[in-house]
mmCIF file of all heavy atoms in Angstrom:
data_model
loop_
_atom_site.group_PDB
_atom_site.id
_atom_site.type_symbol
_atom_site.label_atom_id
_atom_site.label_comp_id
_atom_site.label_asym_id
_atom_site.label_seq_id
_atom_site.Cartn_x
_atom_site.Cartn_y
_atom_site.Cartn_z
ATOM 1 N N TYR A 1 0.846 -1.197 0.000
ATOM 2 C CA TYR A 1 0.000 0.000 0.000
ATOM 3 C C TYR A 1 0.876 1.240 0.000
ATOM 4 O O TYR A 1 2.063 1.195 0.367
ATOM 5 C CB TYR A 1 -0.924 0.021 1.227
ATOM 6 C CG TYR A 1 -1.860 -1.155 1.332
ATOM 7 C CD1 TYR A 1 -1.507 -2.287 2.062
ATOM 8 C CD2 TYR A 1 -3.101 -1.145 0.700
ATOM 9 C CE1 TYR A 1 -2.370 -3.375 2.157
ATOM 10 C CE2 TYR A 1 -3.967 -2.213 0.794
ATOM 11 C CZ TYR A 1 -3.587 -3.328 1.529
ATOM 12 O OH TYR A 1 -4.448 -4.396 1.619
ATOM 13 N N THR A 2 0.272 2.349 -0.370
ATOM 14 C CA THR A 2 0.941 3.638 -0.234
ATOM 15 C C THR A 2 0.821 4.110 1.222
ATOM 16 O O THR A 2 0.062 3.544 2.029
ATOM 17 C CB THR A 2 0.316 4.670 -1.175
ATOM 18 O OG1 THR A 2 -1.063 4.881 -0.793
ATOM 19 C CG2 THR A 2 0.381 4.194 -2.617
ATOM 20 N N GLU A 3 1.548 5.158 1.544
ATOM 21 C CA GLU A 3 1.502 5.666 2.916
ATOM 22 C C GLU A 3 0.114 6.191 3.258
ATOM 23 O O GLU A 3 -0.381 5.985 4.384
ATOM 24 C CB GLU A 3 2.551 6.764 3.088
ATOM 25 C CG GLU A 3 2.634 7.303 4.509
ATOM 26 C CD GLU A 3 3.759 8.305 4.686
ATOM 27 O OE1 GLU A 3 4.560 8.472 3.738
ATOM 28 O OE2 GLU A 3 3.831 8.922 5.770
ATOM 29 N N GLU A 4 -0.532 6.879 2.314
ATOM 30 C CA GLU A 4 -1.873 7.406 2.583
ATOM 31 C C GLU A 4 -2.877 6.275 2.792
ATOM 32 O O GLU A 4 -3.732 6.344 3.694
ATOM 33 C CB GLU A 4 -2.326 8.305 1.427
ATOM 34 C CG GLU A 4 -1.574 9.618 1.305
ATOM 35 C CD GLU A 4 -0.153 9.437 0.776
ATOM 36 O OE1 GLU A 4 0.116 8.346 0.203
ATOM 37 O OE2 GLU A 4 0.661 10.355 0.938
ATOM 38 N N GLU A 5 -2.790 5.238 1.984
ATOM 39 C CA GLU A 5 -3.700 4.099 2.145
ATOM 40 C C GLU A 5 -3.482 3.418 3.492
ATOM 41 O O GLU A 5 -4.449 3.038 4.169
ATOM 42 C CB GLU A 5 -3.484 3.101 1.012
ATOM 43 C CG GLU A 5 -3.978 3.556 -0.351
ATOM 44 C CD GLU A 5 -3.654 2.572 -1.450
ATOM 45 O OE1 GLU A 5 -2.615 1.888 -1.342
ATOM 46 O OE2 GLU A 5 -4.438 2.465 -2.418
ATOM 47 N N THR A 6 -2.231 3.288 3.884
ATOM 48 C CA THR A 6 -1.945 2.617 5.154
ATOM 49 C C THR A 6 -2.406 3.459 6.337
ATOM 50 O O THR A 6 -2.927 2.926 7.328
ATOM 51 C CB THR A 6 -0.443 2.326 5.264
ATOM 52 O OG1 THR A 6 0.015 1.691 4.069
ATOM 53 C CG2 THR A 6 -0.164 1.412 6.440
ATOM 54 N N LYS A 7 -2.237 4.774 6.267
ATOM 55 C CA LYS A 7 -2.714 5.640 7.350
ATOM 56 C C LYS A 7 -4.227 5.550 7.491
ATOM 57 O O LYS A 7 -4.755 5.489 8.613
ATOM 58 C CB LYS A 7 -2.301 7.083 7.086
ATOM 59 C CG LYS A 7 -0.833 7.370 7.338
ATOM 60 C CD LYS A 7 -0.529 8.841 7.106
ATOM 61 C CE LYS A 7 0.927 9.158 7.408
ATOM 62 N NZ LYS A 7 1.262 10.590 7.177
ATOM 63 N N ALA A 8 -4.927 5.553 6.373
ATOM 64 C CA ALA A 8 -6.392 5.439 6.426
ATOM 65 C C ALA A 8 -6.806 4.085 6.988
ATOM 66 O O ALA A 8 -7.788 3.990 7.748
ATOM 67 C CB ALA A 8 -6.968 5.639 5.026
ATOM 68 N N MET A 9 -6.066 3.055 6.640
ATOM 69 C CA MET A 9 -6.376 1.723 7.162
ATOM 70 C C MET A 9 -6.147 1.647 8.670
ATOM 71 O O MET A 9 -6.954 1.076 9.418
ATOM 72 C CB MET A 9 -5.509 0.681 6.441
ATOM 73 C CG MET A 9 -5.857 -0.760 6.723
ATOM 74 S SD MET A 9 -4.640 -1.863 5.972
ATOM 75 C CE MET A 9 -4.580 -1.222 4.284
ATOM 76 N N ALA A 10 -5.040 2.225 9.133
ATOM 77 C CA ALA A 10 -4.739 2.201 10.566
ATOM 78 C C ALA A 10 -5.736 3.037 11.359
ATOM 79 O O ALA A 10 -6.068 2.707 12.513
ATOM 80 C CB ALA A 10 -3.318 2.703 10.808
ATOM 81 N N ALA A 11 -6.251 4.113 10.774
ATOM 82 C CA ALA A 11 -7.184 4.985 11.488
ATOM 83 C C ALA A 11 -8.533 4.327 11.711
ATOM 84 O O ALA A 11 -9.341 4.824 12.517
ATOM 85 C CB ALA A 11 -7.358 6.295 10.722
ATOM 86 N N GLU A 12 -8.794 3.225 11.045
ATOM 87 C CA GLU A 12 -10.078 2.545 11.214
ATOM 88 C C GLU A 12 -10.162 1.764 12.523
ATOM 89 O O GLU A 12 -11.254 1.369 12.926
ATOM 90 C CB GLU A 12 -10.316 1.600 10.037
ATOM 91 C CG GLU A 12 -10.478 2.306 8.697
ATOM 92 C CD GLU A 12 -10.636 1.337 7.551
ATOM 93 O OE1 GLU A 12 -10.532 0.109 7.805
ATOM 94 O OE2 GLU A 12 -10.836 1.790 6.398
ATOM 95 N N ILE A 13 -9.041 1.509 13.183
ATOM 96 C CA ILE A 13 -9.065 0.743 14.422
ATOM 97 C C ILE A 13 -8.967 1.687 15.617
ATOM 98 O O ILE A 13 -8.521 2.837 15.495
ATOM 99 C CB ILE A 13 -7.915 -0.287 14.473
ATOM 100 C CG1 ILE A 13 -6.566 0.430 14.519
ATOM 101 C CG2 ILE A 13 -7.997 -1.237 13.294
ATOM 102 C CD1 ILE A 13 -5.389 -0.505 14.751
ATOM 103 N N GLU A 14 -9.411 1.219 16.767
ATOM 104 C CA GLU A 14 -9.321 1.961 18.016
ATOM 105 C C GLU A 14 -8.260 1.303 18.885
ATOM 106 O O GLU A 14 -8.285 0.095 19.116
ATOM 107 C CB GLU A 14 -10.661 1.979 18.742
ATOM 108 C CG GLU A 14 -11.754 2.763 18.035
ATOM 109 C CD GLU A 14 -11.499 4.267 18.057
ATOM 110 O OE1 GLU A 14 -10.819 4.728 19.004
ATOM 111 O OE2 GLU A 14 -11.971 4.965 17.135
ATOM 112 N N VAL A 15 -7.325 2.110 19.375
ATOM 113 C CA VAL A 15 -6.200 1.618 20.167
ATOM 114 C C VAL A 15 -6.292 2.198 21.568
ATOM 115 O O VAL A 15 -6.518 3.404 21.730
ATOM 116 C CB VAL A 15 -4.860 1.990 19.513
ATOM 117 C CG1 VAL A 15 -3.687 1.485 20.354
ATOM 118 C CG2 VAL A 15 -4.775 1.431 18.101
ATOM 119 N N THR A 16 -6.138 1.338 22.562
ATOM 120 C CA THR A 16 -6.115 1.804 23.948
ATOM 121 C C THR A 16 -4.729 2.333 24.262
ATOM 122 O O THR A 16 -3.721 1.633 24.098
ATOM 123 C CB THR A 16 -6.468 0.664 24.907
ATOM 124 O OG1 THR A 16 -7.766 0.153 24.576
ATOM 125 C CG2 THR A 16 -6.466 1.142 26.341
ATOM 126 N N ASP A 17 -4.665 3.586 24.715
ATOM 127 C CA ASP A 17 -3.384 4.245 24.986
ATOM 128 C C ASP A 17 -3.469 4.941 26.334
ATOM 129 O O ASP A 17 -4.524 4.997 26.959
ATOM 130 C CB ASP A 17 -3.078 5.250 23.859
ATOM 131 C CG ASP A 17 -1.592 5.540 23.753
ATOM 132 O OD1 ASP A 17 -0.840 5.136 24.672
ATOM 133 O OD2 ASP A 17 -1.178 6.167 22.754
ATOM 134 N N GLY A 18 -2.335 5.480 26.735
ATOM 135 C CA GLY A 18 -2.327 6.210 27.991
ATOM 136 C C GLY A 18 -1.232 5.746 28.923
ATOM 137 O O GLY A 18 -0.363 4.959 28.520
ATOM 138 N N PRO A 19 -1.275 6.230 30.151
ATOM 139 C CA PRO A 19 -2.322 7.101 30.727
ATOM 140 C C PRO A 19 -2.161 8.561 30.291
ATOM 141 O O PRO A 19 -1.094 8.985 29.894
ATOM 142 C CB PRO A 19 -2.105 6.941 32.228
ATOM 143 C CG PRO A 19 -0.640 6.634 32.355
ATOM 144 C CD PRO A 19 -0.265 5.840 31.142
ATOM 145 N N ASN A 20 -3.260 9.322 30.431
ATOM 146 C CA ASN A 20 -3.227 10.744 30.114
ATOM 147 C C ASN A 20 -2.785 11.536 31.338
ATOM 148 O O ASN A 20 -2.298 10.972 32.316
ATOM 149 C CB ASN A 20 -4.600 11.210 29.612
ATOM 150 C CG ASN A 20 -5.711 10.877 30.603
ATOM 151 O OD1 ASN A 20 -5.447 10.570 31.773
ATOM 152 N ND2 ASN A 20 -6.951 10.949 30.139
ATOM 153 N N ASP A 21 -2.959 12.848 31.281
ATOM 154 C CA ASP A 21 -2.516 13.691 32.392
ATOM 155 C C ASP A 21 -3.274 13.390 33.668
ATOM 156 O O ASP A 21 -2.793 13.692 34.778
ATOM 157 C CB ASP A 21 -2.692 15.174 32.020
ATOM 158 C CG ASP A 21 -1.792 15.573 30.859
ATOM 159 O OD1 ASP A 21 -0.783 14.861 30.637
ATOM 160 O OD2 ASP A 21 -2.109 16.570 30.165
ATOM 161 N N GLU A 22 -4.465 12.819 33.534
ATOM 162 C CA GLU A 22 -5.260 12.490 34.719
ATOM 163 C C GLU A 22 -5.028 11.059 35.182
ATOM 164 O O GLU A 22 -5.686 10.596 36.110
ATOM 165 C CB GLU A 22 -6.747 12.703 34.416
ATOM 166 C CG GLU A 22 -7.066 14.160 34.057
ATOM 167 C CD GLU A 22 -8.519 14.329 33.684
ATOM 168 O OE1 GLU A 22 -9.240 13.290 33.648
ATOM 169 O OE2 GLU A 22 -8.950 15.468 33.421
ATOM 170 N N GLY A 23 -4.113 10.354 34.517
ATOM 171 C CA GLY A 23 -3.804 8.991 34.927
ATOM 172 C C GLY A 23 -4.764 7.944 34.418
ATOM 173 O O GLY A 23 -4.777 6.819 34.933
ATOM 174 N N GLU A 24 -5.577 8.279 33.435
ATOM 175 C CA GLU A 24 -6.558 7.345 32.918
ATOM 176 C C GLU A 24 -6.193 6.929 31.493
ATOM 177 O O GLU A 24 -5.590 7.693 30.729
ATOM 178 C CB GLU A 24 -7.953 7.984 32.925
ATOM 179 C CG GLU A 24 -8.456 8.330 34.316
ATOM 180 C CD GLU A 24 -9.833 8.961 34.271
ATOM 181 O OE1 GLU A 24 -10.301 9.236 33.131
ATOM 182 O OE2 GLU A 24 -10.422 9.190 35.338
ATOM 183 N N MET A 25 -6.583 5.691 31.162
ATOM 184 C CA MET A 25 -6.367 5.184 29.813
ATOM 185 C C MET A 25 -7.437 5.747 28.883
ATOM 186 O O MET A 25 -8.551 6.073 29.302
ATOM 187 C CB MET A 25 -6.414 3.657 29.802
ATOM 188 C CG MET A 25 -5.428 3.002 30.773
ATOM 189 S SD MET A 25 -3.710 3.370 30.416
ATOM 190 C CE MET A 25 -3.496 2.435 28.899
ATOM 191 N N PHE A 26 -7.100 5.838 27.628
ATOM 192 C CA PHE A 26 -8.037 6.396 26.656
ATOM 193 C C PHE A 26 -7.849 5.660 25.330
ATOM 194 O O PHE A 26 -6.860 4.946 25.126
ATOM 195 C CB PHE A 26 -7.806 7.901 26.474
ATOM 196 C CG PHE A 26 -6.432 8.239 25.959
ATOM 197 C CD1 PHE A 26 -6.197 8.384 24.590
ATOM 198 C CD2 PHE A 26 -5.364 8.398 26.833
ATOM 199 C CE1 PHE A 26 -4.943 8.691 24.108
ATOM 200 C CE2 PHE A 26 -4.094 8.704 26.345
ATOM 201 C CZ PHE A 26 -3.880 8.845 24.990
ATOM 202 N N THR A 27 -8.791 5.833 24.456
ATOM 203 C CA THR A 27 -8.724 5.225 23.125
ATOM 204 C C THR A 27 -8.471 6.308 22.088
ATOM 205 O O THR A 27 -8.922 7.452 22.239
ATOM 206 C CB THR A 27 -10.023 4.482 22.785
ATOM 207 O OG1 THR A 27 -11.123 5.398 22.832
ATOM 208 C CG2 THR A 27 -10.254 3.331 23.759
ATOM 209 N N ARG A 28 -7.785 5.922 21.050
ATOM 210 C CA ARG A 28 -7.442 6.848 19.971
ATOM 211 C C ARG A 28 -7.449 6.082 18.651
ATOM 212 O O ARG A 28 -7.367 4.839 18.631
ATOM 213 C CB ARG A 28 -6.059 7.451 20.207
ATOM 214 C CG ARG A 28 -4.959 6.417 20.311
ATOM 215 C CD ARG A 28 -3.581 7.031 20.230
ATOM 216 N NE ARG A 28 -2.542 6.035 20.399
ATOM 217 C CZ ARG A 28 -2.109 5.208 19.449
ATOM 218 N NH1 ARG A 28 -2.662 5.276 18.228
ATOM 219 N NH2 ARG A 28 -1.143 4.337 19.675
ATOM 220 N N PRO A 29 -7.521 6.790 17.531
ATOM 221 C CA PRO A 29 -7.397 6.100 16.234
ATOM 222 C C PRO A 29 -5.992 5.531 16.051
ATOM 223 O O PRO A 29 -5.013 6.040 16.601
ATOM 224 C CB PRO A 29 -7.705 7.206 15.217
ATOM 225 C CG PRO A 29 -8.420 8.266 15.992
ATOM 226 C CD PRO A 29 -7.885 8.199 17.388
ATOM 227 N N GLY A 30 -5.912 4.482 15.297
ATOM 228 C CA GLY A 30 -4.628 3.841 15.088
ATOM 229 C C GLY A 30 -3.668 4.687 14.261
ATOM 230 O O GLY A 30 -4.079 5.557 13.489
ATOM 231 N N LYS A 31 -2.369 4.422 14.442
ATOM 232 C CA LYS A 31 -1.305 5.114 13.704
ATOM 233 C C LYS A 31 -0.449 4.081 12.982
ATOM 234 O O LYS A 31 -0.597 2.868 13.163
ATOM 235 C CB LYS A 31 -0.458 5.940 14.669
ATOM 236 C CG LYS A 31 -1.219 6.998 15.437
ATOM 237 C CD LYS A 31 -0.287 7.823 16.300
ATOM 238 C CE LYS A 31 0.410 6.978 17.364
ATOM 239 N NZ LYS A 31 1.245 7.809 18.259
ATOM 240 N N LEU A 32 0.459 4.562 12.160
ATOM 241 C CA LEU A 32 1.317 3.659 11.408
ATOM 242 C C LEU A 32 2.189 2.802 12.319
ATOM 243 O O LEU A 32 2.539 1.672 11.977
ATOM 244 C CB LEU A 32 2.208 4.462 10.448
ATOM 245 C CG LEU A 32 1.524 5.108 9.253
ATOM 246 C CD1 LEU A 32 2.543 5.889 8.432
ATOM 247 C CD2 LEU A 32 0.851 4.054 8.381
ATOM 248 N N SER A 33 2.531 3.300 13.467
ATOM 249 C CA SER A 33 3.414 2.565 14.374
ATOM 250 C C SER A 33 2.693 1.481 15.165
ATOM 251 O O SER A 33 3.343 0.683 15.843
ATOM 252 C CB SER A 33 4.088 3.534 15.349
ATOM 253 O OG SER A 33 3.111 4.255 16.085
ATOM 254 N N ASP A 34 1.381 1.429 15.089
ATOM 255 C CA ASP A 34 0.631 0.435 15.853
ATOM 256 C C ASP A 34 0.708 -0.936 15.183
ATOM 257 O O ASP A 34 0.801 -1.053 13.958
ATOM 258 C CB ASP A 34 -0.833 0.856 15.987
ATOM 259 C CG ASP A 34 -0.992 2.084 16.858
ATOM 260 O OD1 ASP A 34 -0.241 2.215 17.835
ATOM 261 O OD2 ASP A 34 -1.867 2.926 16.535
ATOM 262 N N ARG A 35 0.666 -1.970 16.015
ATOM 263 C CA ARG A 35 0.633 -3.338 15.504
ATOM 264 C C ARG A 35 -0.787 -3.702 15.070
ATOM 265 O O ARG A 35 -1.753 -3.022 15.387
ATOM 266 C CB ARG A 35 1.101 -4.312 16.599
ATOM 267 C CG ARG A 35 2.497 -4.025 17.153
ATOM 268 C CD ARG A 35 3.561 -4.449 16.190
ATOM 269 N NE ARG A 35 4.907 -4.160 16.656
ATOM 270 C CZ ARG A 35 5.638 -4.991 17.394
ATOM 271 N NH1 ARG A 35 5.143 -6.167 17.755
ATOM 272 N NH2 ARG A 35 6.857 -4.657 17.762
ATOM 273 N N PHE A 36 -0.882 -4.790 14.336
ATOM 274 C CA PHE A 36 -2.208 -5.282 13.948
ATOM 275 C C PHE A 36 -3.011 -5.601 15.213
ATOM 276 O O PHE A 36 -2.468 -6.094 16.200
ATOM 277 C CB PHE A 36 -2.084 -6.538 13.103
ATOM 278 C CG PHE A 36 -1.642 -6.279 11.689
ATOM 279 C CD1 PHE A 36 -1.332 -5.003 11.254
ATOM 280 C CD2 PHE A 36 -1.541 -7.318 10.785
ATOM 281 C CE1 PHE A 36 -0.920 -4.752 9.949
ATOM 282 C CE2 PHE A 36 -1.127 -7.091 9.474
ATOM 283 C CZ PHE A 36 -0.820 -5.806 9.066
ATOM 284 N N PRO A 37 -4.318 -5.328 15.217
ATOM 285 C CA PRO A 37 -5.116 -5.560 16.433
ATOM 286 C C PRO A 37 -5.228 -7.042 16.781
ATOM 287 O O PRO A 37 -5.208 -7.915 15.903
ATOM 288 C CB PRO A 37 -6.483 -4.961 16.067
ATOM 289 C CG PRO A 37 -6.529 -5.009 14.572
ATOM 290 C CD PRO A 37 -5.122 -4.794 14.099
ATOM 291 N N GLN A 38 -5.360 -7.296 18.068
ATOM 292 C CA GLN A 38 -5.514 -8.661 18.570
ATOM 293 C C GLN A 38 -6.991 -9.051 18.560
ATOM 294 O O GLN A 38 -7.846 -8.270 18.998
ATOM 295 C CB GLN A 38 -4.973 -8.774 20.003
ATOM 296 C CG GLN A 38 -3.523 -8.367 20.163
ATOM 297 C CD GLN A 38 -2.577 -9.425 19.631
ATOM 298 O OE1 GLN A 38 -2.892 -10.602 19.617
ATOM 299 N NE2 GLN A 38 -1.412 -8.991 19.171
ATOM 300 N N PRO A 39 -7.337 -10.251 18.078
ATOM 301 C CA PRO A 39 -8.761 -10.638 18.066
ATOM 302 C C PRO A 39 -9.308 -10.962 19.453
ATOM 303 O O PRO A 39 -10.521 -10.862 19.670
ATOM 304 C CB PRO A 39 -8.774 -11.874 17.159
ATOM 305 C CG PRO A 39 -7.397 -12.432 17.258
ATOM 306 C CD PRO A 39 -6.480 -11.262 17.443
ATOM 307 N N TYR A 40 -8.425 -11.334 20.387
ATOM 308 C CA TYR A 40 -8.866 -11.697 21.746
ATOM 309 C C TYR A 40 -7.991 -10.985 22.760
ATOM 310 O O TYR A 40 -6.824 -10.648 22.485
ATOM 311 C CB TYR A 40 -8.786 -13.212 21.965
ATOM 312 C CG TYR A 40 -9.593 -14.012 20.970
ATOM 313 C CD1 TYR A 40 -8.960 -14.682 19.916
ATOM 314 C CD2 TYR A 40 -10.980 -14.093 21.063
ATOM 315 C CE1 TYR A 40 -9.689 -15.415 19.001
ATOM 316 C CE2 TYR A 40 -11.712 -14.812 20.142
ATOM 317 C CZ TYR A 40 -11.068 -15.472 19.112
ATOM 318 O OH TYR A 40 -11.799 -16.185 18.197
ATOM 319 N N ALA A 41 -8.562 -10.783 23.932
ATOM 320 C CA ALA A 41 -7.832 -10.064 24.980
ATOM 321 C C ALA A 41 -6.698 -10.900 25.545
ATOM 322 O O ALA A 41 -5.646 -10.374 25.910
ATOM 323 C CB ALA A 41 -8.795 -9.655 26.102
ATOM 324 N N ASN A 42 -6.872 -12.222 25.636
ATOM 325 C CA ASN A 42 -5.845 -13.098 26.190
ATOM 326 C C ASN A 42 -6.076 -14.513 25.658
ATOM 327 O O ASN A 42 -7.050 -14.780 24.929
ATOM 328 C CB ASN A 42 -5.866 -13.071 27.724
ATOM 329 C CG ASN A 42 -7.270 -13.238 28.279
ATOM 330 O OD1 ASN A 42 -7.956 -14.214 27.992
ATOM 331 N ND2 ASN A 42 -7.725 -12.244 29.054
ATOM 332 N N GLU A 43 -5.189 -15.419 26.058
ATOM 333 C CA GLU A 43 -5.274 -16.799 25.569
ATOM 334 C C GLU A 43 -6.521 -17.505 26.080
ATOM 335 O O GLU A 43 -7.132 -18.301 25.351
ATOM 336 C CB GLU A 43 -4.025 -17.575 26.000
ATOM 337 C CG GLU A 43 -4.018 -19.021 25.528
ATOM 338 C CD GLU A 43 -2.758 -19.767 25.946
ATOM 339 O OE1 GLU A 43 -1.772 -19.099 26.351
ATOM 340 O OE2 GLU A 43 -2.751 -21.020 25.856
#
């Protein structure tokens, strides 16, 4: 893919990130540096 196509593809997922300034986790759109999403939380 091109860089623009890959950025649009990554932005379709929601990634849990943080903590923020208040110490809480938050969700954000995906970025190029993010890994492919996991289908399950754990084994």
Side-chain angles (χ1 to χ4, degrees):
Y1 300 93
T2 63
E3 183 175 353
E4 291 73 17
E5 289 176 329
T6 310
K7 285 182 178 179
M9 189 187 310
E12 295 177 356
I13 65 173
E14 293 290 333
V15 179
T16 302
D17 203 349
N20 55 16
D21 295 338
E22 299 177 357
E24 297 180 353
M25 304 298 290
F26 61 93
T27 59
R28 58 167 177 80
K31 300 184 297 184
L32 289 179
S33 58
D34 292 324
R35 303 285 178 89
F36 285 3
Q38 303 284 332
Y40 303 104
N42 48 57
E43 180 179 345

